[in-house]
């Protein structure tokens, strides 16, 4: 494996680790907000949050949503 491949792999692992950490933090947040909720309810709320996060309905990027791939662009 080349150095650039190793760097890319390390970045991807870091991204996955950050995703898992964020998921755990949100799960704990939901448990604090809903102390009487069972685990199944927390998981349901977590899935809903992941699908429909307020303020990030179209993703986390700035700007306006656009169709992808853009019309007239060549995808290879």
């Amino acid at each position: 494996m080349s150095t650039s491949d190793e760097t890319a792999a390390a970045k991807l692992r870091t991204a996955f680790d950050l995703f898992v950490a964020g998921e755990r933090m949100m799960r704990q947040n939901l448990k604090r907000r809903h102390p009487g909720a069972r685990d199944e309810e927390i998981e349901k709320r977590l899935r809903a949050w992941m699908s429909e996060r307020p303020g990030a309905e179209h993703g986390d990027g700035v700007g306006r949503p656009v169709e992808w791939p853009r019309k007239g662009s060549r995808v290879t």
Side-chain angles (χ1 to χ4, degrees), residues 25-40:
M25 287 191 313
M26 188 59 186
R27 188 176 286 112
Q28 289 297 352
N29 186 0
L30 290 168
K31 287 180 180 182
R32 280 193 299 276
R33 289 183 190 178
H34 308 280
R38 297 183 347 188
D39 288 343
E40 296 81 17

Side-chain angles (χ1 to χ4, degrees), residues 1-13:
M1 190 182 300
S2 72
T3 303
S4 64
D5 290 342
E6 291 170 357
T7 301
K11 288 180 180 180
L12 184 58
R13 281 192 299 275

Side-chain angles (χ1 to χ4, degrees), residues 29-71:
N29 186 0
L30 290 168
K31 287 180 180 182
R32 280 193 299 276
R33 289 183 190 178
H34 308 280
R38 297 183 347 188
D39 288 343
E40 296 81 17
E41 177 66 21
I42 295 297
E43 291 304 313
K44 180 180 174 185
R45 289 176 181 271
L46 180 64
R47 284 191 307 275
W49 176 79
M50 285 181 174
S51 298
E52 302 172 12
R53 293 177 298 130
E57 292 82 5
H58 302 289
D60 294 323
V62 297
R64 60 182 174 80
V66 296
E67 181 180 309
W68 194 258
R70 293 186 179 202
K71 293 178 182 174

